[in-house]
Amino acid sequence: MTTNGLLERVFTALDNFRIEIPSWGFANTGTRFGKFVQAAAATNLEEKFADGAEVNRLTGAAPTMALHVLWDLPNGLEDAERVLALAKTTGVQAGSINPNLFQSQEYKYGSLCNPSAEIRAKARKHLLNSVEIGKRLKSKDVSLWMADGSNYPGTQSIRKRVDWLAEGLAEAHAALGEEQRLLVEYKPFEPAFYHTDIADWGMALLLAKGAGPKAKVLVDTGHHYPSQNIEQIVAWLLHEDMLGGFHFNDRRYADDDLTLGSIDPYQVYRIFGELLSAEADGLPMDVAYMVDQSHNLKGKVEAMVQTVVTAQELYVKAALVDREQLAGLQEKCDLVAAEELFRGAFWTDVRPLVKAWREERGLPLEPLAELRRSGYVERAEAIRGPKQGGGGGYA
Ligand code: PSV
Ligand code: MN
């Protein structure tokens, strides 16, 4: 490929690449063993939007922020007005709306799948409120994850819970506006340890299909058993036109919520590879890239900038693969040549190319260095100081 051709390919890929950051990634979070409070952590909506705007300023790729209803919009539509005002002043728009169906005391035995009709009704109402918030904020996706499940065999009817869940999703789907979608997220375990009501992509796929055409599956990269082939799941969902979006993060063991690409960057590259291959083949695609991370030890804004930059680099690597050439090698079953072509792009140092794009688009050349130079975190530390609360953690 000529140098101009290469740059054009890279620039097009980066111009089109957007990734949504989560409000809770800026808040104090911890593990069940405790929480280390950070002085610069955001403890209210204003601070979360300010942090989001800083990440977007530095990377040019994160113009929307995912919101969690209980943590960010506890007063529902009233808070939506605050979000609209903040979007105006910061330039960061509301992203996916995440109902909270896991923190209320009543959800001890489940939310949409709770054996109590009264509690199921409460969960359904919250889901419908979330759809309304999404409408007000002109946000496209309502992103559903529940902690529902059970800890011991024989203690719950798995089949009855499927029916309750299907009813709740169909009701939410019927309330969606023209432009809205319902994304169904799955997770094999935690906090439930015997069965989870939406444990894998097959269950999520069936539930989404049953709910209606605007329901799609959300793949959280941390929600799989070790060594599962996530890109194959992605390929299947693309094949079925049922992939709605991602929650990107990395993991060493389970749902560790570590920063994207920190443990296995090749996996993210392989996932992007499937997406770009489907795009090249002209498949219908409407996939939301979102981050779902909790930065317990790293600085919040710093970790988020690092995440977005890593995502950009891995996406560019995947965009370097000559898809036509690869298809030819696959056809001939030239295994080593195909693998080398695929791997070669991964091993390419794309940082100078991404830097050239930043320069061309008037963005900081080194986002992390620019963050340090700007003194943003130090100022936030001085103004905010260490505080508890603010939403986004479980502790
Ligand atoms: C659950 O582990 C999850 O992945 C869901 O997406 C939640 O909304 C998010 O993390 C934040 O806790
Ligand atoms: Mn998630």
Side-chain angles (χ1 to χ4, degrees), residues 24 68 98 143-145 185-187 218-223 246-249 255 257 291-293 394:
W24 55 96
H68 232 287
N98 293 251
S143 185
L144 174 89
W145 175 76
E185 182 172 354
Y186 57 91
K187 181 169 178 174
L218 184 142
V219 176
D220 183 314
T221 48
H223 292 188
F246 287 92
H247 272 179
F248 281 112
N249 50 58
D255 189 22
D257 279 349
V291 171
D292 181 4
Q293 290 175 182
Y394 302 106

Side-chain angles (χ1 to χ4, degrees), residues 96-99 127 140-145 169 176 180-186 198 204 208 214-219 242-247 286-290:
S96 60
I97 302 300
N98 293 251
L127 195 46
K140 182 171 173 174
D141 293 322
V142 172
S143 185
L144 174 89
W145 175 76
L169 294 189
L176 292 174
Q180 278 182 304
R181 305 190 301 176
L182 180 66
L183 303 185
V184 183
E185 182 172 354
Y186 57 91
I198 314 179
K214 287 184 256 177
K216 304 276 168 182
V217 178
L218 184 142
V219 176
M242 285 303 288
L243 182 63
F246 287 92
H247 272 179
D286 188 2
V287 184
Y289 297 156
M290 298 175 270

Side-chain angles (χ1 to χ4, degrees), residues 29 31 56 85 94 121 154 162 182 194 214-215 220 251 253 268 297 299-300 306 318 326 332 341 352 369:
T29 49
T31 66
N56 191 38
V162 174
L182 180 66
Y194 166 60
K214 287 184 256 177
D220 183 314
R251 51 78 66 75
Y253 296 101
V268 185
L297 306 179
K300 317 281 177 190
Q306 191 187 29
L326 185 63
K332 284 194 284 177
L341 179 67

